[in-house]
Amino acid sequence: MSFFNKSVEVIDFADHINLKSAQKQFATRYIAEQYRDALHIEMPKGQMFIFDYGVVVAWGVNPDKAAQYINELKGLASKLHDDQVDTYEFTKVDEQAEQALASNDTLYLPNFQTNTLLALSHAFAQSAKLQHYEEIAEKTIVSNQYLIDMLAKSGKIALNRKQLAKLRGQLFQTKTDIVLHYNLLDTPEFFWDFPALEHYYLSLGKYLELSQRIEILNLKLETIQDLFDMLAAEQNHKHSSFLEWIIIILIAIEIVIFFGEYFHILPK
């Protein structure tokens, strides 16, 4: 197996991509094989793995060619976002090594077999998608920090009910988008068929700190939920206050009508 270079690029560019359409598109030029949850493209110099959640892992592929392929794939993808690219180096070591090792953004691999590269690619792809969710959650928390400050200083949020409802909707959408795709961060189904390769995935996952980062993401999701609950409570408070004022006004009108009728029937 030959490579253009000894670098692996991890590109996250969309939320979803149609793998069947991608296979048809690349099968006319290269060997394209569908795995349980990824598409493998074998090239004369390089290997590329496409994941249906919008991540591509390119091993030893010419960077210019990789960029060209990504542009092609964007036509088959949905919910495009700014390309997020991470680059690592890789090299081959002793064939007898029991697992891949990673240090200082360099991978030391026992072999270049397709299944080994795919096992590692799963960890890379999950890391890239996790980073995307981390950034979304962080931006959501930071952009709504002023609400917490406002509540702490004045005891209330100076927004009307419609504005509060919009913010609640945005927070709910952010959390839902992440939670609905949360299963992407589970152990891939690929290892049901190839359990002997799972140690490669676990080893790289440990280096990329997937477990710790998932825990932190959970904390961020809890913070978003707290913000959502706070806005819900504030909106309910405003609604209750609105109803109370309506009741007070109705009572006042009823009193005015009562006294008006009362004094009207008194003899002069």
Side-chain angles (χ1 to χ4, degrees), residues 32-52:
E33 183 178 0
Q34 174 81 53
Y35 284 79
R36 184 185 285 265
D37 37 23
L39 177 64
H40 170 230
I41 310 296
E42 183 174 346
M43 304 172 180
K45 288 189 176 182
Q47 304 282 314
M48 193 166 73
F49 298 95
I50 305 170
F51 296 87
D52 62 0

Side-chain angles (χ1 to χ4, degrees), residues 29-258:
R29 291 169 284 174
Y30 307 112
I31 298 174
E33 183 178 0
Q34 174 81 53
Y35 284 79
R36 184 185 285 265
D37 37 23
L39 177 64
H40 170 230
I41 310 296
E42 183 174 346
M43 304 172 180
K45 288 189 176 182
Q47 304 282 314
M48 193 166 73
F49 298 95
I50 305 170
F51 296 87
D52 62 0
Y53 47 86
V55 179
V56 169
V57 182
W59 294 82
V61 178
N62 183 326
D64 293 334
K65 284 287 186 180
Q68 175 188 327
Y69 300 144
I70 294 299
N71 286 331
E72 291 182 32
L73 291 170
K74 286 181 179 179
L76 307 174
S78 59
K79 293 186 178 180
L80 298 175
H81 50 73
D82 293 338
D83 293 359
Q84 170 190 305
V85 183
D86 295 314
T87 304
Y88 304 83
E89 299 298 320
F90 66 89
T91 186
K92 187 176 180 181
V93 294
D94 185 5
E95 290 273 2
Q96 303 303 316
E98 294 183 359
Q99 62 183 15
L101 299 176
S103 177
N104 298 322
D105 289 343
T106 299
L107 286 175
Y108 302 93
L109 309 180
N111 60 69
F112 293 151
Q113 294 177 7
T114 298
N115 285 344
T116 298
L117 299 184
L118 177 53
L120 295 168
S121 295
H122 274 290
F124 276 134
Q126 285 183 331
S127 178
K129 189 57 66 174
L130 179 55
Q131 182 178 339
H132 177 63
Y133 295 146
E134 288 169 336
E135 291 174 355
I136 291 175
E138 183 66 25
K139 288 179 182 177
T140 300
I141 293 171
V142 170
S143 64
N144 288 280
Q145 179 63 40
Y146 74 98
L147 296 172
I148 299 175
D149 297 336
M150 189 186 300
L151 188 63
K153 290 179 180 179
S154 63
K156 60 182 180 179
I157 298 176
L159 298 174
N160 60 40
R161 291 175 57 206
K162 184 175 182 179
Q163 291 171 322
L164 287 172
K166 285 184 176 180
L167 283 174
R168 286 182 65 194
Q170 292 170 3
L171 290 172
F172 182 75
Q173 184 176 25
T174 298
K175 183 176 180 181
T176 300
D177 286 345
I178 296 174
V179 171
L180 287 177
H181 296 89
Y182 208 77
N183 63 315
L184 300 178
L185 305 178
D186 294 337
T187 301
E189 294 182 357
F190 169 75
F191 299 108
W192 295 3
D193 298 329
F194 301 94
L197 299 173
E198 189 173 357
H199 65 283
Y200 291 126
Y201 163 78
L202 295 175
S203 176
L204 182 56
K206 184 177 180 179
Y207 171 75
L208 296 171
E209 299 182 332
L210 292 182
S211 297
Q212 298 94 315
R213 290 165 59 197
I214 289 173
E215 290 179 7
I216 294 173
L217 179 61
N218 281 328
L219 292 176
K220 291 179 179 179
L221 289 175
E222 289 177 10
T223 301
I224 292 175
Q225 182 62 47
D226 291 341
L227 284 168
F228 180 84
D229 293 340
M230 181 184 72
L231 292 178
E234 182 70 11
Q235 188 174 22
N236 289 336
H237 173 70
K238 287 183 180 293
H239 183 64
S240 298
S241 298
F242 177 71
L243 293 178
E244 289 173 1
W245 275 109
I246 289 179
I247 293 172
I248 291 171
I249 293 171
L250 291 176
I251 293 175
I253 293 173
E254 187 175 349
I255 292 173
V256 170
I257 294 174
F258 171 77

